[in-house]
Amino acid sequence: MKSTQLILLMLCLSATAFAADPTPLPIGSKAPNFSLPAVDGKTYSLKDFSNYKILAIIFTCNHCPTAQAYEDRIKQLVTDYSSKGVGIIAISPNDPLAIRLDELGYTDLSDTFEDMKVRAKDKQYNFPYLFDGETSTVSMQYGPQATPHVFIFDQQRMLRYTGRIDDGEKPGTAKTHDTRNALDNMLAGKPVTVDKTKTFGCSVKWPGKREYVEKASAEWAKEKVAIEDLNIDQLNALIKNEGVNYRLINVWATWCGPCVTEFPEFINMNRMYRNREFELITITLDDVARKQNALNFLVKKQASAKNYIFNGDKYAFIEGLDKKWEGSLPYTLFIAPGGKIIYAKQGLIDPLEMKRIIANHLGRIY
């Protein structure tokens, strides 16, 4: 595992125990009731699934790499077992206000209710996706340890299995299919052979972890912000991108209203992805005489990425950056290692589209 992946994994796992962290519901326990909103516009409670002989509740989320690795497998479980009387629902336990930007390095979406709606539509979820992130009260009663975490209940809604979906996070690598085995045992009227397993994935972002978001904000505010001159030869080297990082380049100016409007989105993306093979580079086309003004703007925006001010002929810059560019600001490029331009946009970007492109190229799972 690469060092940057290890950093994100450590953040995601959040090994430090919190006093508020719950313990998993014991085998044989009754399913706690709930009343939670879902992405389909409905509000669901336990009784809404009373027609199912077996009910599997999976605590999962949008942002976690492990959760994303299991999305298609959850959908396949629904396809394979719904006709057999098995209901499968998902609940997101995460408080969106307890998620740091640098925990979003493998995703385009966080865990807000609105983000959940987008994710469910994008992936065409075939199961109810419920939001408990406002208080996490229901999730605290079940006690998921990571995302995803499965709880399977019999017809009397007594817990018969809790744990992982299978033993292989990377799609196609699983050898033991614990959730399927538990469902097959229960459908056959047999005791569940293995009724509890460990789970692996991102720690649940309980409301008590909001302090870590505040801590991160304080840390980022202290980071050094600088700006350097850039000439045409240096620009050519940036475009060639002979390193290992994907390179997001934003061209802007302090006098450009749209540039100023969208600039914070790039700062967020830098904080999300910079622990991976990614770097943000900003280049202002302010006059060199206004270099201090540009730096003042960057400091206010906490832009601790690599920042440049171009010192040379603007038209040579336009031709050197991208011959297809007409010259209007802002302008954004996403360049792969080796110099291939993946994305180019004159004018305001769509932040979600941009993050989706970045996440898809960097990869969404460990």
Side-chain angles (χ1 to χ4, degrees), residues 10-11 13-17:
M10 291 173 67
L11 276 169
L13 291 174
S14 298
T16 303

Side-chain angles (χ1 to χ4, degrees), residues 273-289:
Y273 303 115
R274 67 182 182 176
N275 288 327
R276 303 192 64 193
E277 292 75 24
F278 171 89
E279 60 182 335
L280 171 66
I281 294 174
T282 82
I283 306 172
T284 179
L285 291 187
D286 279 286
D287 190 275
V288 175

Side-chain angles (χ1 to χ4, degrees), residues 19-219:
D21 283 1
T23 56
L25 198 67
I27 295 296
S29 299
K30 190 80 172 178
N33 197 14
F34 54 82
S35 179
L36 295 173
V39 298
D40 61 6
K42 301 177 183 179
T43 297
Y44 290 95
S45 63
L46 200 58
K47 66 180 181 181
D48 292 313
F49 305 99
S50 58
N51 57 315
Y52 292 105
K53 293 186 294 184
I54 298 170
L55 179 64
I57 300 177
I58 304 176
F59 290 86
T60 188
C61 68
N62 286 344
H63 85 274
C64 174
T66 309
Q68 292 182 79
Y70 278 98
E71 285 175 311
D72 289 334
R73 275 172 278 185
I74 294 173
K75 289 172 60 179
Q76 192 62 49
L77 284 170
V78 175
T79 299
D80 294 345
Y81 286 93
S82 60
S83 63
K84 301 177 182 180
V86 177
I88 297 176
I89 65 173
I91 297 176
S92 178
N94 287 344
D95 175 3
L97 298 178
I99 302 173
R100 295 168 47 127
L101 282 171
D102 54 4
E103 291 179 298
L104 302 178
Y106 285 74
T107 182
D108 53 336
L109 295 165
S110 188
D111 290 341
T112 68
F113 190 33
E114 293 305 312
D115 286 343
M116 288 170 57
K117 294 176 184 178
V118 174
R119 191 64 180 162
K121 181 178 179 181
D122 287 348
K123 289 295 293 183
Q124 298 184 323
Y125 284 173
N126 55 357
F127 50 86
Y129 191 23
L130 284 58
F131 177 60
D132 188 33
E134 187 170 345
T135 64
S136 303
T137 302
V138 171
S139 302
M140 293 284 286
Q141 295 178 66
Y142 283 82
Q145 301 299 291
T147 50
H149 190 156
V150 183
F151 293 78
I152 303 179
F153 299 87
D154 62 21
Q155 195 156 21
Q156 287 71 45
R157 298 302 178 252
M158 306 298 289
L159 183 64
R160 298 305 178 200
Y161 171 81
T162 178
R164 65 194 183 189
I165 293 175
D166 59 40
D167 66 347
E169 178 186 20
K170 186 176 180 180
T173 64
K175 295 182 174 63
T176 303
H177 302 274
D178 305 271
T179 290
R180 286 180 176 270
N181 292 341
L183 290 173
D184 290 341
N185 287 158
M186 293 172 69
L187 288 169
K190 301 177 181 178
V192 176
T193 304
V194 178
D195 61 8
K196 184 176 181 179
T197 69
K198 304 284 187 179
T199 58
F200 177 82
C202 299
S203 63
V204 177
K205 305 305 181 286
W206 304 112
K209 298 181 181 181
R210 291 183 183 182
E211 64 183 86
Y212 276 83
V213 176
E214 297 169 0
K215 182 179 178 181
S217 297
E219 291 170 351

Side-chain angles (χ1 to χ4, degrees), residues 146-331:
T147 50
H149 190 156
V150 183
F151 293 78
I152 303 179
F153 299 87
D154 62 21
Q155 195 156 21
Q156 287 71 45
R157 298 302 178 252
M158 306 298 289
L159 183 64
R160 298 305 178 200
Y161 171 81
T162 178
R164 65 194 183 189
I165 293 175
D166 59 40
D167 66 347
E169 178 186 20
K170 186 176 180 180
T173 64
K175 295 182 174 63
T176 303
H177 302 274
D178 305 271
T179 290
R180 286 180 176 270
N181 292 341
L183 290 173
D184 290 341
N185 287 158
M186 293 172 69
L187 288 169
K190 301 177 181 178
V192 176
T193 304
V194 178
D195 61 8
K196 184 176 181 179
T197 69
K198 304 284 187 179
T199 58
F200 177 82
C202 299
S203 63
V204 177
K205 305 305 181 286
W206 304 112
K209 298 181 181 181
R210 291 183 183 182
E211 64 183 86
Y212 276 83
V213 176
E214 297 169 0
K215 182 179 178 181
S217 297
E219 291 170 351
W220 293 328
K222 296 176 183 178
E223 292 179 348
K224 182 179 178 180
V225 178
I227 189 169
E228 300 177 17
D229 286 6
L230 181 74
N231 61 37
I232 196 68
D233 291 333
Q234 292 169 320
L235 175 66
N236 292 335
L238 288 179
I239 300 305
K240 287 181 181 178
N241 195 17
E242 295 179 344
V244 299
N245 289 338
Y246 284 84
R247 187 167 280 171
L248 180 62
I249 299 178
N250 175 240
V251 185
W252 63 284
T254 58
W255 43 260
C256 165
C259 301
V260 172
T261 297
E262 73 174 0
F263 198 85
E265 294 288 353
F266 290 102
I267 303 307
N268 288 342
M269 284 182 249
N270 184 48
R271 291 170 177 171
M272 288 171 65
Y273 303 115
R274 67 182 182 176
N275 288 327
R276 303 192 64 193
E277 292 75 24
F278 171 89
E279 60 182 335
L280 171 66
I281 294 174
T282 82
I283 306 172
T284 179
L285 291 187
D286 279 286
D287 190 275
V288 175
R290 290 180 54 81
K291 184 176 181 179
Q292 186 60 49
N293 299 73
L295 178 59
N296 291 343
F297 172 83
L298 293 168
V299 170
K300 289 178 182 178
K301 299 301 180 183
Q302 300 180 8
S304 57
K306 194 70 173 179
N307 304 301
Y308 294 101
I309 185 168
F310 183 70
N311 190 354
D313 181 77
K314 299 293 192 295
Y315 291 98
F317 178 88
I318 293 169
E319 285 295 310
L321 185 71
D322 185 0
K323 295 184 183 300
K324 295 180 180 179
W325 178 27
E326 296 293 335
S328 177
L329 294 179
Y331 196 68

